[in-house]
Amino acid sequence: MKQKILDTISDLCMDFLYYDRKNCEELSIEQMNEAVKNGEITIDEMVENFREHLEGTFNNQENE
């Protein structure tokens, strides 16, 4: 089960960083790369945001 979850996270990252950015007018691959390169956002900030959403989702499920 653990490996299935980790594999799914890997797929999610590829979707987020590549496939969902292809032909996206709002946030292209190039814009994302440039934002990280110029320090507008860091990988740590993105990871923290994902963490907050994951924890929030799990916390909401526990309260249902």
Side-chain angles (χ1 to χ4, degrees), residues 35-59:
V36 172
K37 182 179 175 182
N38 72 24
E40 186 174 345
I41 192 166
T42 67
I43 292 172
D44 286 341
E45 289 172 318
M46 289 186 273
V47 169
E48 180 58 30
N49 193 265
F50 277 116
R51 174 184 285 283
E52 289 172 7
H53 285 278
L54 281 170
E55 289 173 345
T57 300
F58 280 108
N59 288 338

Side-chain angles (χ1 to χ4, degrees), residues 18-30:
Y18 183 72
Y19 295 110
D20 290 350
R21 305 284 70 81
K22 288 175 72 173
N23 303 316
C24 180
E25 294 179 12
E26 293 183 29
L27 181 60
S28 68
I29 297 167
E30 293 80 13

Side-chain angles (χ1 to χ4, degrees), residues 3-39:
Q3 191 58 52
K4 285 181 185 181
I5 292 169
L6 294 174
D7 290 345
T8 301
I9 292 170
S10 179
D11 290 344
L12 174 70
C13 288
M14 282 300 295
D15 288 344
F16 173 68
L17 295 172
Y18 183 72
Y19 295 110
D20 290 350
R21 305 284 70 81
K22 288 175 72 173
N23 303 316
C24 180
E25 294 179 12
E26 293 183 29
L27 181 60
S28 68
I29 297 167
E30 293 80 13
Q31 290 171 315
M32 174 103 48
N33 288 336
E34 186 61 29
V36 172
K37 182 179 175 182
N38 72 24

